[in-house]
């Protein structure tokens, strides 16, 4: 019997519009909120590398058999080398950092959590869902001065502004929390393309801290769902046990090993993104916005007309990231890695500029 095709009911345009300030990458919602926008959409609402790592062929065995433990450990060792981790055993592979964000509150319960804001909202959602009281704290000095928190979360570099917290401050926070059985969670999802010395990986203590790293953002393969937790031996064992025997796919292992071994690709990518950021900054400023922060994978802009510019861009088929709680901010991802994508982007933006 032939099955009927699955249909998805169209969204109410207002509901679709409201969803666009929750997460990036929601092209389905964007098309319903702005039905007259031209195709193809240019999605600049995420911080994912638009020029992905060339995957090449993947073996049939990676799809047809369960990964061996030694294969997972080999990938973790390659990631540890790339990150500069002192101990390979401290690196645990997972099906994306998002899974880890929602797993940690259940493994390491806390009553009172502080998040250094303004930042990625999924951390707050995860801890509040687990029953914790969550405070958004504006400065590192406040965190250092307070003994009220069981867990502290720092996104470093921060999403969306790119702020970097100094390593001595992170060490002090981890030390203070370890004394009371708490934890510092450092989300380094965008660290791969930053200066190596900025990473807390090199100072990771054996207790009191967990670091999250992403594969998909840097290598442009978000759909692969691959990320890593770095932790001391006790916490690391708990995370590994909770993820089970086969936390990632054979294809993730094969592609991850290939990518982490290709240092030339990463070096060339960093150079390309530096040029792309400079070009994008110029375009953002021509739109009447001021670039106030970012990383090599996204730029944060500010302006009184941000909301209007967001709508005009979307009506032209360009989706950027808006923020409900920061109406004067827009975050721009880097346009596609090929010249054609840039040409389409520039052509559409040019039509929005004053004559």
């Amino acid at each position: 019997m032939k099955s009927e095709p699955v249909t998805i009911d169209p969204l109410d345009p207002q509901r679709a519009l409201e969803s666009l300030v929750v997460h990036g990458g929601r092209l389905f919602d964007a098309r319903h909120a702005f039905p007259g926008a031209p195709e193809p959409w240019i999605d600049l609402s995420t911080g994912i590398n638009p020029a992905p790592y060339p995957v090449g062929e993947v073996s049939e065995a990676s799809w047809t058999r369960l990964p061996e433990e030694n294969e997972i450990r080999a990938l973790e060792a390659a990631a540890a080398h790339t990150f500069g981790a002192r101990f390979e055993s401290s690196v645990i592979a997972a099906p994306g950092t998002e899974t880890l964000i929602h797993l940690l509150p259940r493994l390491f319960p806390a009553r009172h959590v502080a998040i250094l804001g303004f930042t990625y909202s999924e951390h707050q959602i995860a801890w509040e869902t687990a029953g914790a009281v969550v405070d958004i704290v504006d400065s590192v000095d406040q965190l250092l001065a307070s003994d009220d928190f069981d867990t502290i979360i720092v996104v470093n570099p921060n999403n969306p502004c790119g702020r970097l917290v100094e390593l001595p401050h992170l060490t002090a926070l981890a030390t203070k929390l370890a004394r009371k059985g708490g934890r510092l969670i450092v989300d380094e999802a965008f660290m791969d393309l930053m200066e190596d010395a900025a990473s807390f990986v090199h100072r990771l203590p054996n207790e009191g801290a967990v670091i999250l790293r992403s594969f998909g953002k840097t290598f442009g393969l978000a759909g692969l769902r691959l990320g890593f937790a770095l932790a001391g031996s006790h916490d690391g064992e708990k995370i590994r046990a909770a993820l089970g025997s086969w936390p990632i796919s054979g294809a993730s292992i094969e592609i991850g090993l290939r990518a982490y071994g290709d240092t030339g690709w990463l070096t060339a990518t960093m150079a390309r993104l530096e040029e792309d950021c400079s070009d994008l900054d110029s375009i953002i400023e021509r739109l009447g916005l001021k670039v106030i922060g970012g990383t090599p994978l996204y730029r944060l802009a500010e302006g009184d007309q941000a909301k209007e510019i967001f709508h005009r861009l979307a009506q032209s088929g360009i989706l950027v990231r808006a923020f409900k709680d920061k109406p004067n901010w827009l975050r721009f991802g880097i346009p596609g890695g090929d010249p054609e994508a840039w040409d389409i982007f520039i052509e559409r933006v040019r039509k929005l500029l004053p004559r």
Side-chain angles (χ1 to χ4, degrees):
M1 180 178 176
K2 187 177 180 180
S3 61
E4 293 295 323
V6 176
T7 58
I8 300 175
D9 293 333
L11 294 181
D12 172 74
Q14 184 58 37
R15 273 182 48 216
L17 179 62
E18 291 170 358
S19 78
L20 297 180
V21 299
V22 178
H23 280 298
R26 296 191 166 185
L27 285 180
F28 179 81
D29 294 343
R31 287 187 172 100
H32 283 83
F34 300 94
E39 294 282 351
W41 274 82
I42 298 174
D43 185 6
L44 307 185
S45 66
T46 75
I48 299 167
N49 189 344
Y53 182 77
V55 170
E57 293 187 7
V58 179
S59 69
E60 182 178 352
S62 71
W63 302 112
T64 59
R65 51 179 288 275
L66 290 170
E68 298 279 359
E69 182 177 352
N70 68 293
E71 295 171 337
I72 297 173
R73 298 295 172 268
L75 174 61
E76 291 170 344
H81 178 75
T82 299
F83 303 155
R86 289 180 291 176
F87 307 104
E88 290 182 5
S89 60
S90 67
V91 181
I92 304 106
T97 52
E98 193 79 354
T99 295
L100 292 165
I101 286 172
H102 287 272
L103 179 65
L104 293 180
R106 290 159 177 78
L107 292 180
F108 311 115
R111 292 170 297 174
H112 198 181
V113 175
I115 299 176
L116 184 61
F118 176 83
T119 193
Y120 183 54
S121 61
E122 204 69 23
H123 289 284
Q124 181 176 358
I125 293 169
W127 287 93
E128 287 182 341
T129 300
V133 174
V134 177
D135 288 351
I136 306 300
V137 177
D138 294 330
S139 74
V140 177
D141 289 341
Q142 290 174 267
L143 296 175
L144 290 168
S146 176
D147 290 319
D148 294 340
F149 305 112
D150 308 306
T151 294
I152 294 174
I153 298 157
V154 176
V155 180
N156 204 48
N158 190 44
N159 176 10
C161 68
R163 173 195 60 215
L164 282 166
V165 175
E166 294 180 10
L167 297 184
H169 290 161
L170 295 177
T171 299
L173 289 172
T175 300
K176 180 169 67 170
L177 289 165
R179 292 195 192 107
K180 58 194 298 187
R183 285 161 191 83
L184 171 70
I185 297 171
V186 184
D187 183 344
E188 292 191 350
F190 290 98
M191 185 60 78
D192 286 355
L193 297 168
M194 307 296 289
E195 291 290 335
D196 184 59
S199 174
F200 191 51
V201 167
H202 312 298
R203 298 194 181 195
L204 177 67
N206 196 44
E207 58 181 355
V210 177
I211 299 172
L212 307 180
R213 295 289 287 250
S214 170
F215 175 85
K217 292 179 176 62
T218 298
F219 290 93
L221 299 171
L224 197 64
R225 308 311 304 135
L226 178 61
F228 299 87
L230 289 85
S233 55
H234 180 262
D235 285 356
E237 289 171 7
K238 288 190 70 172
I239 296 170
R240 191 182 296 282
L243 288 168
S245 299
W246 303 285
I248 57 175
S249 69
S252 296
I253 296 169
E254 197 167 310
I255 295 168
L257 279 169
R258 194 177 302 167
Y260 282 133
D262 193 346
T263 56
W265 182 88
L266 193 59
T267 300
T269 294
M270 293 176 71
R272 175 184 58 78
L273 287 171
E274 184 177 356
E275 294 183 8
D276 287 350
C277 284
S278 178
D279 292 341
L280 181 58
D281 287 352
S282 298
I283 293 170
I284 291 172
E285 290 171 2
R286 291 182 64 192
L287 285 168
L289 299 167
K290 180 182 179 182
V291 178
I292 60 172
T295 71
L297 287 175
Y298 55 81
R299 316 302 291 162
L300 181 64
E302 182 180 49
D304 293 338
Q305 303 299 315
K307 186 174 182 179
E308 177 186 345
I309 292 171
F310 171 83
H311 280 79
R312 290 170 60 202
L313 287 168
Q315 288 163 352
S316 299
I318 301 171
L319 182 61
V320 299
R321 182 73 161 87
F323 303 93
K324 181 179 179 181
D325 296 328
K326 296 285 186 180
N328 289 344
W329 283 10
L330 293 176
R331 192 192 66 192
F332 290 71
I334 309 301
D338 60 273
E340 183 180 359
W342 270 97
D343 290 343
I344 295 172
F345 171 62
I346 292 171
E347 179 184 354
R348 292 183 185 179
V349 169
R350 187 180 294 121
K351 294 177 181 178
L352 303 178
L353 299 175
R355 299 286 180 182

